[in-house]
Amino acid sequence: MFSLVVIDSTLLYLPSKLFQNTIYEKIRFANTQIMSLSDSDLAFVGLEDHLEEIRASDAHYITQWDWSQLRNLRKIDVIDIHLISMYSIEQEFPSLTSLTSLSISKAEISFIHPKVFRGLSNLRMLILQDNEISEMSRSMLPNPAKELYMIDLSGNRLSSFPPNMFINMPNLKELELNNNHFVTLDEDTFRWPFENLKSLMFKGNSFRCDCRLRWLVNTRKPSTLEAKCAQPDNLNGVALENIVSSVLWCV
């Protein structure tokens, strides 16, 4: 396994010919500022059939990477971006059919391109935790998303999803939505996740347990469900899996 680690550096770009005649399988950038992945329209030239992982963390002055520069990476399996202030993802990712795990966390992202990940047909894990995301749509993900197993959107500003958010995700088993702004759960959106997932996490959301949640009472629950009522006061702290319809009222 050949790996390259770049630490404590400031780079305008990575020269396009830097990796010719090398066989690095993993590249990691730590506490390194990179303004561009390449000085040409392709990054990591020479590693198209070798590079499997790109990891970057702790860089605070990068804005936008040109994700299209990765389009020739035929073996890339993992992209992990952490603590890099990107603010937005304004372009669609290239169709990286080998990519199975994508994590972009603590990147201050508030805007995502409406078709951003749709070409990642074999994606199994999507982690976008601890950003500023307030809206997600089905068009952002592969359709169908046959391999998608886990989605983690914890630590964002989400309060709802469109009704079609989870259609054509036959293998989705884990959904983490901790520390968002959910107050209620729409039946059209969430009945499928409740009945089909193994793990559904809503820690840190302030649910108002009223008549809008009556559909949950007789709905199959995931084996792991973390969600509690915050309002009204008499239900504060009660787990959603334990509520009964007789206490769910709307004024």
Side-chain angles (χ1 to χ4, degrees), residues 155-173:
N156 281 285
R157 298 184 177 184
L158 296 163
S159 60
S160 65
F161 290 127
N164 68 341
M165 188 67 205
F166 302 107
I167 66 168
N168 294 329
M169 297 184 183
N171 288 309
L172 187 66
K173 297 301 178 186

Side-chain angles (χ1 to χ4, degrees), residues 120-132:
L120 306 180
S121 57
N122 290 307
L123 194 66
R124 286 181 52 81
M125 297 177 58
L126 175 63
I127 300 172
L128 297 173
Q129 65 182 13
D130 297 325
N131 285 293
E132 305 292 332

Side-chain angles (χ1 to χ4, degrees), residues 73-104:
L73 296 180
R74 291 182 283 270
K75 292 193 68 176
I76 192 70
D77 180 51
V78 175
I79 296 176
D80 184 356
I81 310 295
H82 179 69
L83 272 175
I84 293 180
S85 299
M86 289 186 168
Y87 304 110
S88 63
I89 306 176
E90 298 184 0
Q91 65 180 159
E92 185 178 344
F93 268 61
S95 297
L96 302 172
T97 56
S98 61
L99 189 69
T100 66
S101 177
L102 174 62
S103 176
I104 305 177

